């Protein structure tokens, strides 16, 4: 988990200049960018095409080196290998192997993080159920629609339960069902203390999930702050009440005018198109209508909900457990000591060897057989040579 006092991402005067073959300055993609992302925060990176959003994300991931300035991820440089396992990334384009199915795709990414087989299998099933692809899990990814590819791309970004999730246009091509589920998931991850950097052109989605945003234009920061501070219109006042009849509305209008203010607009509130769409889909699913595409998905994967990994806890318990040599032996198998040798061992030593019939007798030796010193055996058995004589 992320330390509450730790800055997840911090940039200072971050600048990236692309040059041509002759090292002449071609374009400044990012210029003098200062940015901080904190634990449990959903940070939005906004701007038109070519404003430097994707370039900034690639520098945070260590895929591009900055021309000037500093950048730190979890207090380290972005190219530090140790922090890679704490990051999940969904690129703008779904770079997936088209000949693999969903199960094989998630298993492949789980192997990249050296996850054991049982953990990969369990997480794959939970993620496919979560993103609504369980019904098409064995169809090749190359046959998926763009929205379905975005769903499996989101699943692969979560396979390692990352502390920092970087999403570049995650809902592009995704239907309203997947978009709604995606926004719910982002809120849940933020509640768990995970940090999310979201870059999107769909401003409504950013407005619904982001706490702070940074708006870029020409590679430079043009505005930054919380959603409330940036969107609040202080020159107007909005009052929402229950429905009013004509007489009550006339009284309210008269009171407002008597205060020296104008009534700019009187309208009934409207529902969102997204809400209407989701209600229609819920009704269709309640009627058990079939579909060949993605479904609305199931519950959030259990490993994303839990605070710790069960298998990881078991490993830690084994490491701190009492050493085997310090544990007492089972009662059914008493340990033998040096002073009390096993009886069957002594019997084997004192019993003369019998030649098997099928063995051929070797040449007879004229030397007498060596005399056995039984005093050693008697001492082992607790007796004495004198008692036997």
């Amino acid at each position: 988990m992320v330390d509450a006092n730790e800055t997840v991402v911090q940039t200072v005067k971050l600048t990236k200049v692309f040059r041509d073959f002759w090292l002449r300055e071609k374009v400044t993609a990012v210029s003098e960018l200062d940015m901080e992302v904190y634990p449990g925060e959903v940070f939005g990176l906004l701007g038109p095409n070519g404003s430097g959003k994707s370039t900034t994300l690639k520098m945070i991931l260590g895929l591009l080196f900055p021309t000037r300035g500093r950048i730190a991820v979890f207090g380290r440089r972005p190219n530090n290998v140790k922090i890679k396992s704490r990051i999940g990334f969904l690129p703008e384009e779904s770079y997936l192997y088209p000949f693999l199915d969903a199960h094989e795709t998630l298993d492949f990414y789980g192997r990249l993080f050296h996850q054991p087989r049982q953990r990969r299998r369990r997480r794959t099933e939970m993620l496919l159920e979560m993103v609504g692809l369980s019904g098409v899990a064995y169809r090749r990814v190359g046959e998926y629609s763009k929205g379905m590819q975005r769903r499996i791309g989101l699943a692969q970004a979560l396979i390692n339960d990352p502390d920092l999730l970087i999403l570049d246009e995650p809902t592009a091509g995704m239907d309203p069902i997947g978009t709604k589920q995606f926004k719910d998931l982002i809120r849940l991850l933020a509640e768990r203390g995970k940090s999310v950097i979201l870059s999107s052109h769909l401003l409504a989605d950013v407005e619904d999930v982001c706490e702070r945003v940074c708006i870029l234009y020409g590679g430079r920061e043009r505005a930054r702050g919380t959603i409330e501070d940036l969107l609040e219109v202080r020159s107007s006042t909005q009052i929402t009440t229950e429905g009013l009849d004509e007489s009550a509305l006339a009284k309210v209008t008269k009171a407002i005018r008597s205060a020296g203010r104008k009534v700019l607009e009187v309208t009934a509130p409207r529902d969102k198109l997204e809400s209407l769409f989701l209600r229609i889909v819920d009704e269709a699913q309640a009627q058990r209508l079939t579909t060949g595409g993605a479904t609305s998905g199931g519950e959030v994967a259990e490993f994303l909900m839990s605070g710790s990994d069960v298998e990881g806890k078991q490993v830690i318990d084994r490491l701190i457990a009492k050493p085997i040599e310090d544990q007492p032996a089972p009662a059914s198998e008493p340990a033998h000591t040096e002073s009390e040798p096993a009886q069957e061992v002594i019997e084997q030593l004192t019993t003369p060897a019998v030649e098997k019939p099928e063995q051929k007798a070797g040449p007879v030796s004229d030397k007498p057989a060596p005399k056995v010193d039984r005093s050693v055996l008697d001492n082992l058995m607790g007796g004495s040579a004198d008692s036997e004589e």
Side-chain angles (χ1 to χ4, degrees):
M1 294 298 292
V2 183
D3 187 358
N5 298 323
E6 179 183 13
T7 302
V8 177
V9 177
Q10 183 179 23
T11 66
V12 179
K13 303 297 182 182
L14 186 63
T15 302
K16 177 61 179 178
V17 178
F18 290 102
R19 303 180 184 276
D20 59 11
F21 178 80
W22 306 105
L23 299 182
R24 295 175 300 188
E25 183 172 330
K26 187 176 180 180
V27 62
T28 301
V30 180
S31 178
E32 305 289 325
L33 178 62
D34 295 333
M35 185 178 72
E36 300 87 17
V37 180
Y38 300 100
E41 180 181 26
V42 183
F43 188 88
L45 202 60
L46 307 178
N49 294 330
S51 59
K53 303 187 303 298
S54 297
T55 302
T56 302
L57 297 182
K58 290 178 181 178
M59 286 190 288
I60 293 175
L61 290 166
L63 303 177
L64 290 177
F65 293 97
T67 305
R68 294 186 299 274
R70 294 187 297 108
I71 180 171
V73 181
F74 297 113
R76 299 173 180 268
R77 292 184 176 181
N79 57 355
N80 190 299
V81 179
K82 294 182 179 180
I83 68 172
K84 301 297 183 181
S85 61
R86 303 177 63 183
I87 301 176
F89 176 50
L90 176 62
E92 183 177 2
E93 296 294 335
S94 300
Y95 300 104
L96 303 171
Y97 293 103
F99 52 84
L100 298 179
D101 60 33
H103 271 282
E104 294 168 338
T105 298
L106 295 183
D107 184 79
F108 168 74
Y109 284 101
R111 288 173 181 266
L112 295 181
F113 290 100
H114 304 287
Q115 295 178 1
R117 181 178 180 181
Q118 293 297 330
R119 184 187 302 177
R120 296 198 310 268
R121 181 180 302 176
R122 186 176 66 254
R123 290 190 176 185
T124 296
E125 296 295 337
M126 289 189 291
L127 288 172
L128 289 177
E129 177 67 22
M130 184 188 73
V131 299
L133 294 178
S134 296
V136 291
Y138 294 100
R139 186 189 300 178
R140 289 187 177 183
V141 174
E143 300 176 2
Y144 282 1
S145 65
K146 183 175 181 180
M148 295 168 67
Q149 290 184 357
R150 300 307 285 170
R151 288 171 180 256
I152 191 64
L154 178 61
Q156 66 83 20
L158 296 172
I159 191 69
N160 61 321
D161 191 14
D163 293 323
L164 172 62
L165 186 62
I166 299 178
L167 306 172
D168 194 359
E169 301 293 343
T171 58
M174 190 177 293
D175 57 36
I177 303 174
T179 301
K180 176 63 167 57
Q181 185 183 13
F182 160 77
K183 292 188 288 188
D184 293 340
L185 175 63
I186 293 301
R187 296 189 190 97
L188 176 64
L189 295 177
E191 292 175 359
R192 278 200 56 201
K194 297 181 181 296
S195 303
V196 181
I197 299 179
L198 173 62
S199 173
S200 177
H201 289 121
L202 302 177
L203 303 184
D205 295 343
V206 176
E207 181 180 352
D208 289 340
V209 298
C210 291
E211 302 172 10
R212 292 192 305 131
V213 296
C214 176
I215 302 177
L216 301 178
Y217 186 86
R220 292 182 176 272
E221 176 188 319
R222 306 300 299 178
R224 180 175 55 173
T226 64
I227 293 292
E228 291 77 8
D229 293 339
L230 294 177
L231 299 184
E232 182 180 2
V233 180
R234 295 179 175 85
S235 60
S236 302
T237 301
Q238 179 176 317
I239 302 175
T240 302
T241 68
E242 296 179 354
L244 300 176
D245 54 21
E246 293 295 335
S247 60
L249 184 59
K251 293 179 182 179
V252 172
T253 304
K254 182 178 179 181
I256 294 175
R257 290 173 178 174
S258 63
R261 295 292 184 265
K262 295 181 179 180
V263 179
L264 301 179
E265 185 179 13
V266 179
T267 59
R270 297 177 58 186
D271 199 358
K272 290 185 177 180
L273 183 59
E274 179 187 68
S275 301
L276 174 62
F277 182 90
L278 294 175
R279 283 200 303 269
I280 295 175
V281 172
D282 291 339
E283 293 174 359
Q285 292 178 346
Q287 298 174 7
R288 300 184 180 277
L289 301 180
T290 59
T291 176
T295 61
S296 59
E299 297 181 355
V300 179
E302 183 180 354
F303 71 93
L304 294 175
M305 294 287 293
S306 60
S308 60
D309 193 352
V310 177
E311 292 183 6
K313 187 176 185 301
Q314 292 176 351
V315 173
I316 296 176
D317 292 340
R318 289 197 296 267
L319 292 175
I320 65 177
K322 190 175 183 180
I324 297 177
E325 57 269 15
D326 295 341
Q327 298 178 359
S332 59
E333 298 180 2
H336 301 297
T337 60
E338 295 184 359
S339 60
E340 297 181 2
Q343 185 68 25
E344 58 271 15
V345 178
I346 298 176
E347 292 178 356
Q348 292 176 5
L349 293 174
T350 57
T351 302
V354 179
E355 185 177 354
K356 297 182 180 180
E358 63 272 16
Q359 293 178 349
K360 295 182 180 180
V364 180
S365 175
D366 297 335
K367 295 181 180 181
K371 186 178 180 180
V372 178
D373 187 0
R374 297 186 60 85
S375 61
V376 177
L377 300 177
D378 292 334
N379 292 332
L380 292 174
M381 299 180 64
S384 61
D386 297 335
S387 63
E388 189 167 304
E389 294 177 355

